[in-house]
Amino acid sequence: MIRPMIIDISEWQHPNQINYSILAKEIDLVIVRVQYGSAYCDKFYQTHLQRFQALGVPTAVYAWVRGINHEDMAQEARVFYKRAKAFQPCFYWLDVEEQTMTDMRGGVEVFRQTLKQLSGQKVGVYIAHHLYQPFNLAVENFDALWLPSYGSNSGSYQGVQPTVNKNYDLHQYTSNGRLPGYSDVLDLNRLSGRKSLQYLAGKVQTERPWGIAEEGTFTLQTAIHLRTAPTSATQSIAVLQAGQSIHYDAFAHEQNHVWIRQKREDGTYGYLATGPSDGQKRTSPAWGSFR
């Protein structure tokens, strides 16, 4: 198997089908889709990022580009940055796979400049093979170039390389890859040798500080979802019932609630809302008791 192993995923890879602990051992970098244009937010990007980061896997992010004019491209960049910044991704990528305006070269450059100014991070570009020549993007302005070329798309690397530009840094060589920890197919990528994993991934991320450290036990007075991130928009791990208790190690006022954090056996975290908050204090009694 090729190493370093780099995968890219989106909501098409449902968290319920992923054993994150097993898959994390097989990969060296994951690139997670955050949005499909500014209007559509990927359903599971927060879950994917939180789970992989908790297991120490470097995480980058990408946005499918759909701006219809220069200002719309800038807005897409702003929305992308806003959605991703809390996760401190090691690299930002633009995914250019459809024509949404006449001046794609100029529009994508506006997206790149806006995102670069906001994030201060490295910004790369992925370009569909058949659109590389027609779009004529200013690839020299990006920090890295990512190109697809599948050959027979057998699931493994067969030696086929991108031909539209030989000066690429990352090669997506199959959409039919398989790795332990996920039962369906994955996009697999390899380095070309021009840039190192360290360049694309930076230092392997450790667990991000979250909330205020506090040890305690919370006993529920009503049923509450235990979630993969401190927001009701993310996946539910389980519905805990009245009378159940969980041990927590931190709390925070986020997303209109007071959340507590539970460390789970696989090394990831579960988050439980314990009542409404205005961002600084509770606005009504907690949905259970603390000790």
Side-chain angles (χ1 to χ4, degrees):
M1 183 178 73
I2 287 180
R3 296 303 288 258
M5 175 58 68
I6 302 168
I7 66 171
D8 57 278
I9 63 174
S10 68
E11 66 184 33
W12 294 106
Q13 286 74 46
H14 197 290
N16 287 346
Q17 295 179 286
I18 300 175
N19 185 318
Y20 288 91
S21 296
I22 293 176
L23 184 57
K25 296 175 182 177
E26 304 294 323
I27 63 177
D28 302 284
L29 171 65
V30 58
I31 309 173
V32 178
R33 188 182 76 169
V34 170
Q35 63 189 43
Y36 177 71
S38 58
Y40 189 87
C41 181
D42 193 285
K43 294 177 182 176
F44 300 123
Y45 86 92
Q46 293 178 325
T47 301
H48 290 323
L49 288 168
Q50 188 268 333
R51 290 293 189 93
F52 282 118
Q53 287 187 349
L55 292 165
V57 178
T59 53
V61 291
Y62 78 91
W64 183 296
V65 176
R66 305 199 76 212
I68 59 174
N69 54 49
H70 286 191
E71 175 50 39
D72 196 34
M73 286 289 193
Q75 177 62 13
E76 283 201 8
R78 289 189 287 266
V79 173
F80 180 31
Y81 172 69
K82 183 178 180 181
R83 287 169 172 162
K85 66 178 180 178
F87 294 94
Q88 301 177 2
C90 59
F91 217 103
Y92 288 82
W93 291 93
L94 279 59
D95 183 1
V96 185
E97 297 193 56
E98 64 175 310
Q99 181 160 9
T100 54
M101 59 182 289
T102 302
D103 179 22
M104 288 298 291
R105 180 182 173 94
V108 170
E109 177 60 14
V110 168
F111 195 128
R112 184 199 69 81
Q113 290 179 6
T114 305
L115 181 60
K116 189 78 171 179
Q117 291 168 2
L118 288 169
S119 69
Q121 291 272 23
K122 295 170 186 171
V123 178
V125 64
Y126 174 105
I127 311 170
H129 185 276
H130 67 289
L131 296 175
Y132 187 90
Q133 299 295 348
F135 284 179
N136 187 30
L137 301 186
V139 296
E140 65 274 10
N141 293 339
F142 286 87
D143 295 300
L145 177 61
W146 179 12
L147 295 175
S149 182
Y150 294 168
S152 63
N153 202 14
S154 64
S156 60
Y157 179 55
Q158 301 293 328
V160 174
Q161 299 187 43
T163 57
V164 291
N165 187 337
K166 294 182 179 180
N167 296 319
Y168 63 90
D169 304 295
L170 188 60
H171 173 205
Q172 186 183 77
Y173 60 87
T174 185
S175 60
N176 283 319
R178 292 187 178 274
L179 293 173
Y182 184 65
S183 59
D184 210 336
V185 295
L186 292 164
D187 292 341
L188 304 184
N189 305 270
R190 68 177 189 90
L191 297 176
S192 70
R194 283 169 46 88
K195 290 186 173 69
S196 66
L197 177 66
Q198 178 70 17
Y199 180 85
L200 295 183
K203 183 179 178 181
V204 174
Q205 297 182 26
T206 57
E207 188 178 298
R208 294 183 301 115
W210 180 85
I212 299 171
E214 178 183 274
E215 296 277 343
T217 300
F218 179 72
T219 301
L220 287 69
Q221 294 176 346
T222 186
I224 308 174
H225 285 273
L226 181 68
R227 299 189 180 276
T228 58
T231 168
S232 58
T234 57
Q235 180 192 9
S236 174
I237 299 172
V239 180
L240 304 186
Q241 301 299 318
Q244 286 187 264
S245 298
I246 70 165
H247 181 76
Y248 66 94
D249 65 0
F251 74 93
H253 293 258
E254 294 184 8
Q255 301 289 319
N256 302 316
H257 291 90
V258 185
W259 295 83
I260 57 176
R261 185 178 72 173
Q262 176 200 46
K263 188 164 187 177
R264 299 175 60 75
E265 290 183 0
D266 63 1
T268 63
Y269 289 100
Y271 297 83
L272 191 79
T274 65
S277 167
D278 64 5
Q280 295 183 323
K281 63 182 185 300
R282 290 188 182 275
T283 55
S284 66
W287 299 332
S289 57
F290 292 88
R291 59 178 172 83

